[in-house]
Amino acid sequence: MAGRIREEDIAEVREKVRIDDVVSQYVTLRNAGGGSLKGLCPFHDEKSPSFNVNPSRGFFHCFGCGEGGDVIAFLMKIDGLTFGETVERLAEKTGVVLRREDDGAGRDERPKGPPRNRLIEANRVAQEFYAEQLATPDALVARQFLGERGFDQEAASRFGIGFAPREGEAVFKHLRGRGFTQEEAVEAGLVAIGRSAYDRFRGRLLWPIRDASGDTIGFGARRIFDDDRIEAKYLNTPETRIYKKSQVLYGIDLARREIGRSSRAVIVEGYTDVMACHLAGVGSAVATCGTAFGDDHARVLRRFLDDHDGTRGEVIFTFDGDAAGQKAALRAFGGDQNFVAQTYVAVEPDGRDPCDLRIEKGDEAVRALVDGRVPLYRFVLSNVVGKYDLDRADGRIDALREGARLVSSIRDRSKVDAFARELAGMVGLDVEDARAEVKRATNRRPAPEPTTSGAGQAAPAAPPVRDLPSIGDPRFAVERETLMLVIQHPMTIGRLSSDLSRDDFTHPVLQAVWDLVAAAGGVAAGVGEAGWAAQLRDSASDPAVAAAVSALAVAPLKKQPDAAYVTGYLLRLQERTTSRRIADARSRLQRADPADTAGFDALFKELAMLESHRRSLLDQIAGPA
């Protein structure tokens, strides 16, 4: 189905989709005042929120990295979709019927292979099929497995758990019966190809893995039959266009709202642990899927955690008390700086995981485990120091050295001194000795290798670049606020803007934004146009200008604009323009030849008129006496 989607259908999609509803599936948003919402940017690492969403304008902008645009641009960026895929996805959710027209070029921008929405739909259909199979006689062992771990039918339904029949082509036949092709089933990760196509999961208990919006994107499969020829206890969906294990957290669809509400995330080790926590009242629990917790997982969590304030926010890891658990704690400690939130660890004294703890001691014990967390750094340092005999002098020295190596690895240097003091207390040595050993350990760490050029030599440092002043500079406040009115409230500014011109703006980027407005037909063209800001941004060829449009579209105004508010800004802008013209006229007058009487008199009259006009503008700005 080649051809471009009709512009009026795209406009209808934009109009019907609330950008805050879509963005809040990926980012925890807070009220920022002036009709805007704010959160941590999902496109770059930051510790203070600079990501703004303006629902009334249907626009977002990050003042940190410059990313911005409408809801289509947001989904294209965050989910790696093409423009067409994004419009199709939103149209499906809003019930808009898309029509296509031949653009004469025969071009289809969609990537090769099945559309993303077909892969999502295939996984949804498969999940429903697997869930139905859990009630069949063949799934008795699967139901027993769940029952032994304290999960009844209601719990299985809540988490969408299913059973993959032992037959080799059960789900493949079901998908074909629902109109899916072999290519779609394979690309969705549900079917594998050997001598022929066969179900990837056979005779296994299945947990659907969902993204933050609740779409099923993959599965985790547990071995439950002794004669299963695949000995691995767990199998997961392979990497697909929609399933990236380094970015997936099991349970995030159920936990994201509680994580945002409480600013607390609990990271457990398995699917049953997530279930146990949620059923016990710990609704912020998530788990990785077949891989260690990494930087990408941390970035996903921070979208919802709202941990930009160092006084709030907790990330709690649960580990077994064995050697593997201690190793996992060390890995987590290495990624501690990914969070502004305080990091903790919760370890059950007898080594029980949350699932086993719930079975043996009940829901209250699971909540107590989480509430009894201890700081992660203290847990890790205690494990390191605990390997040595601190009653011996050499044992204390060895413990200090190993602990100092750990402390010196911390990327956040502001935490190093506190950790050094903690280490000194654990080992029983003077704080200054601990600080000195940490400093020595830091000096022994290898320096990062320089970037090399193609010839193998160190690349020279890039010369400093003299950037333009930011459009956020106070010098450009009146120009900036005027363009915010033009983009956000074209109807209010309306005819009042008829006297504006390019000369009223002094910053090159703001001049370029005004040029976009003029090229689009002036401010009047934006009246009643829902996609006005998007239209301006899309017409910008310079990324800096496009970023400025999105910034101006979401920046909060000081108040809801009325005619007096708009008039005030326009008068101030015109007064500044007149002042610049006065300065220019005075300069020309000083350079003029007094012998040229006619020319000198003309300049003098021009200056007098400009000064009179400026006094009039100042009187209007001041208002009635």
Side-chain angles (χ1 to χ4, degrees), residues 6 258 310 327 378 438 596 604:
R6 291 188 179 183
E258 179 61 20
K327 186 176 180 181
R378 186 174 298 159
V438 169
D596 180 7
F604 192 84

Side-chain angles (χ1 to χ4, degrees), residues 33-92:
S36 289
L37 303 169
K38 181 180 286 190
L40 291 167
C41 180
F43 303 124
H44 82 287
D45 289 331
E46 62 176 1
K47 295 188 176 181
S48 296
S50 56
F51 182 84
N52 283 253
V53 177
N54 188 312
S56 64
R57 302 272 71 77
F59 237 65
F60 77 93
H61 181 79
C62 176
F63 291 92
C65 68
E67 287 291 345
D70 62 5
V71 66
I72 296 175
F74 178 83
L75 283 177
M76 287 176 66
K77 177 71 175 178
I78 201 164
D79 282 340
L81 307 177
T82 67
F83 181 86
E85 284 181 310
T86 306
V87 174
E88 288 171 355
R89 180 175 172 183
L90 293 173
E92 185 176 350

